[in-house]
Amino acid sequence: MARKQEQRSEETKHSILQAAGQLFRERGYDAVTMREIAKAAGCSHTTIYIYFKDKEALLHQLSMAPLQDLFAEMQACLQDPSLPVDEKLFSTSWSFLRFCLKNRSMYALFFMTKSSRVDEKEPAMELQKLRNEMFGLLKEAVIAALPAPLTEEQAWAFARVYFFTLHGIIGTYAETEEPYEQLIERVGPTFELALRVSLAGCKQIAQEGDGSK
Amino acid sequence: MARKQEQRSEETKHSILQAAGQLFRERGYDAVTMREIAKAAGCSHTTIYIYFKDKEALLHQLSMAPLQDLFAEMQACLQDPSLPVDEKLFSTSWSFLRFCLKNRSMYALFFMTKSSRVDEKEPAMELQKLRNEMFGLLKEAVIAALPAPLTEEQAWAFARVYFFTLHGIIGTYAETEEPYEQLIERVGPTFELALRVSLAGCKQIAQEGDGSK
Amino acid sequence: MARKQEQRSEETKHSILQAAGQLFRERGYDAVTMREIAKAAGCSHTTIYIYFKDKEALLHQLSMAPLQDLFAEMQACLQDPSLPVDEKLFSTSWSFLRFCLKNRSMYALFFMTKSSRVDEKEPAMELQKLRNEMFGLLKEAVIAALPAPLTEEQAWAFARVYFFTLHGIIGTYAETEEPYEQLIERVGPTFELALRVSLAGCKQIAQEGDGSK
Amino acid sequence: MARKQEQRSEETKHSILQAAGQLFRERGYDAVTMREIAKAAGCSHTTIYIYFKDKEALLHQLSMAPLQDLFAEMQACLQDPSLPVDEKLFSTSWSFLRFCLKNRSMYALFFMTKSSRVDEKEPAMELQKLRNEMFGLLKEAVIAALPAPLTEEQAWAFARVYFFTLHGIIGTYAETEEPYEQLIERVGPTFELALRVSLAGCKQIAQEGDGSK
DNA sequence: GATGAATGAGAATTCATTCAT
DNA sequence: GATGAATGAATTCTCATTCAT
């Protein structure tokens, strides 16, 4: 009996999340109003507040799970002993790119929010922590793929450089409304090239000598 | 008589632009209110509407001139016959980086606005045109710095790849409030490294053979 | 079968009343939401509407019984032939004070609601009637404690005067969150003093002659 | 030229204050909405925000001046050397009563707000300070009118007791909508009586011996 | 040319209450 | 009898913008 209601509730919640996700992605978090989300989800705006504390909670819900999945995916790849280091880097990079491009206009919210002040509320902290861990993962992958022994400083520098490429790719297409599949079909090879270029460049410069100056 | 008035009028307009520019740069377009601009410019908020149709027009006015200057600067550099190709690329890259990092919070508005729909109003078009021309400039610089003869497709690809790096650098620090000088002091060398890595990588991959597939 | 249900139903109703009572007392009628009451009562907020027409009805139900108890208590005290008149007055006063201070944040709702307009709904009338009767009781107690024969007008006047003291005591501490026991410990003697002062003053002025002008 | 506008502005501000004051008095601060105030003042609700930061500021503006006037009035009376002590007490009491009854439903806001936590915002502090000073004034007046030398504790006790009467008077009629004049005509003598009773009682008990236990 | 006054549209959020199950 | 789902009405407050002078 209750099943039906429960299911309906789940559907509503889902449609809210879906609507919010899509709208956030399409137009950005700030530009979207609760009423728009409600309309798109086919419910009253008050209903949203039944399922989510506030607009931010909606975003958080929408963010954390997928981000954690992404993190797990990247981690798993890096721990796979059967893959060569270059493959590991490219594979994790693609995981990251795929995720970010699929969640384009929320990308900024995930990765570009001002490093929250220490006293910030918990949810933001959680996100930031995850973000840092993810960057740490990429850094390790970059270091592993580079040959010579690097100073810590050099390691940071190359990691940043490699990250610039990823960040640049995503940022460039962050505002596009082109569907993910189509986008990948169109410029996927260029992304691939960018990753290869970045790694090749890092390797070369790293061998030439110092990597920070 | 009229002269004096005219001059004063010009001054007011100028102080509005100056104030708006500074505020936009400091806190971002959206976060700044017309009243704040007016207060900073030392005039009434209604006065702004005498000189500018609306907030967006103010932004546009504020954007075009600097962007055109930037464009001219990049163009001049590329046309300088005394510079080696690598230097040309790095130099224009730095012009671009410098400008974008100085105008951080407006960067998104300049370069990441959704490619305006066809029916969009004129001002946006104008901006987009300039943006495209600037990208064209960078593309030429990249191509010139690469050795082999490239197909048009390859040229585009490498240009994009190089641009990802620039975009990535800027995007990474777009939300920082760190003053420009300090930022450069802190991570300027990493930026330099990134440019060198990107070019080195492009060169290498370009030589290896095909650069798009 | 029916018995069991009936009993459970009664339990639910009771736990709602209990929860509402406590919350109203703790935080005031307005500040408490139906959902909070429901949560505290361990049922759904819709359930409340099965037993009570609306929030106001809940309050009314919650008020009448205790107020009637208070009334009975006061009445019993006054009818006790073994007590001296002063004691009767003080004792009923303390009953009243005790009740009001324990129900502080609802005090205003009980005794300070605008004298309901004639067309008001029934429940409010009922409450007001009780309130008036209670005031009548106090009036009788005051009169009994005063020596001389008083005109009706004088009686009213002294009763009011005495009531001002009671009202003042309660009102002064109506917004405090201090627990009742602690409050009494701290300022109970002052309350006692106030009652004595008021009575002594009334006696003296009553003897001096006229008590209304 | 500007005069006319300035005057109009002043009028608007005044009508807002007047409307707000009346509505607050009639129905209480919380129950009144900004839109109602605006409607009553004959302007848009946004206009209110031009003149007052927020609803609370409106209240504060509406409160402080009159309260300060009242305080000054009470102080002046107490410092008048030509008045006997009893007269001083009665006169200040009447000032207080008059003010509170005229501002009835705001009375609670002025005098019954929870003693604000220390970290509270400034305006509330200011009000509380004034409130305390006013109570201090009354306390001095009470002490001056009482004969014997009192311990500090006794002084406080009698002051509180006397204040209960004032508070009780006001509280009793706080919710009435009866116009001030009419109210005074009807029960003014009773108020007078209450003051006399309270003082007489205090004097008597104070003489009898200890006044705190 | 310049301005203070004034506004309408719209934002997030909360709450008592009703409906279908 | 009991409930979860859902809602409409309301609240404070903000902002770009337009008049009347």
Side-chain angles (χ1 to χ4, degrees), chain D residues 72-81 83 87-89 91-92:
Chain D
E73 186 181 318
M74 289 168 69
Q75 206 167 25
C77 171
L78 290 180
Q79 282 163 1
D80 183 340
L83 288 173
E87 275 315 301
K88 280 183 178 176
L89 179 59
S91 180
T92 48

Side-chain angles (χ1 to χ4, degrees), chain C residues 17-35:
Chain C
L17 278 171
Q18 176 136 350
Q22 171 152 356
L23 287 169
F24 285 169
R25 245 169 275 134
E26 280 174 12
R27 314 221 316 273
Y29 176 76
D30 281 332
V32 173
T33 75
M34 294 298 263
R35 285 185 136 87

Side-chain angles (χ1 to χ4, degrees), chain A residues 30-47:
Chain A
D30 281 332
V32 174
T33 76
M34 293 300 262
R35 284 184 143 88
E36 281 172 326
I37 295 170
K39 185 174 265 180
C43 69
S44 160
H45 61 281
T46 50
T47 301

Side-chain angles (χ1 to χ4, degrees), chain B residues 179-197:
Chain B
Y180 171 76
E181 318 293 350
Q182 188 182 320
L183 185 67
I184 286 299
E185 171 130 8
R186 192 166 65 84
V187 278
T190 307
F191 298 168
E192 184 74 37
L193 175 65
L195 301 185
R196 286 204 286 133
V197 161

Side-chain angles (χ1 to χ4, degrees), chain B:
Chain B
M1 276 291 130
R3 263 295 139 84
K4 215 168 182 179
Q5 262 195 23
E6 208 176 302
Q7 188 193 325
R8 215 184 124 203
S9 165
E10 214 48 50
E11 274 170 26
T12 304
K13 183 171 183 178
H14 184 252
S15 66
I16 290 171
L17 278 171
Q18 176 135 350
Q22 172 152 353
L23 287 170
F24 286 169
R25 245 169 274 133
E26 280 174 12
R27 314 221 315 274
Y29 176 75
D30 281 332
V32 174
T33 76
M34 294 298 264
R35 284 185 137 89
E36 283 172 325
I37 296 169
K39 183 176 262 180
C43 70
S44 159
H45 56 283
T46 49
T47 303
I48 301 178
Y49 291 92
I50 298 171
Y51 296 102
F52 307 94
K53 187 182 163 295
D54 55 20
K55 201 181 173 187
E56 213 172 63
L58 189 49
L59 172 68
H60 183 253
Q61 188 97 329
L62 215 40
S63 323
M64 287 314 287
L67 280 171
Q68 277 160 346
D69 288 351
L70 168 63
F71 183 71
E73 186 182 317
M74 290 169 69
Q75 206 166 27
C77 171
L78 290 181
Q79 283 163 0
D80 183 339
S82 71
L83 288 173
V85 285
D86 284 20
E87 275 315 301
K88 280 184 179 176
L89 178 59
F90 288 148
S91 180
T92 49
S93 298
W94 268 109
S95 291
F96 186 74
L97 286 178
R98 209 180 305 124
F99 177 84
C100 291
L101 291 172
K102 276 187 175 170
N103 296 279
R104 248 167 294 179
S105 73
M106 302 183 65
Y107 168 69
L109 279 147
F110 293 159
F111 296 102
M112 292 174 63
T113 298
K114 292 188 230 294
S115 300
S116 57
R117 300 146 196 82
V118 189
D119 62 325
E120 208 72 68
K121 34 201 166 185
E122 228 244 294
M125 297 280 303
E126 209 180 326
L127 200 155
Q128 197 180 352
K129 186 164 159 267
L130 193 53
R131 194 203 314 181
N132 290 341
E133 285 175 350
M134 224 175 285
F135 184 70
L137 241 47
L138 280 169
K139 183 186 155 201
E140 292 312 316
V142 170
I143 293 171
L146 293 186
L150 300 169
T151 65
E152 181 62 11
E153 195 185 354
Q154 287 173 328
W156 270 105
F158 282 117
R160 278 202 185 102
V161 165
Y162 186 83
F163 189 66
F164 290 155
T165 298
L166 294 181
H167 204 340
I169 290 173
I170 300 155
T172 302
Y173 298 94
E175 304 292 328
T176 317
E177 284 174 3
E178 199 174 353
Y180 171 76
E181 318 293 350
Q182 188 182 320
L183 185 67
I184 286 299
E185 171 130 8
R186 192 166 65 84
V187 278
T190 307
F191 298 168
E192 184 74 37
L193 175 65
L195 301 185
R196 286 204 286 133
V197 161
S198 196
L199 181 55
C202 283
K203 279 182 175 165
Q204 186 175 324
I205 304 279
Q207 264 167 343
E208 276 178 20
D210 121 11
S212 76
K213 215 31 201 292

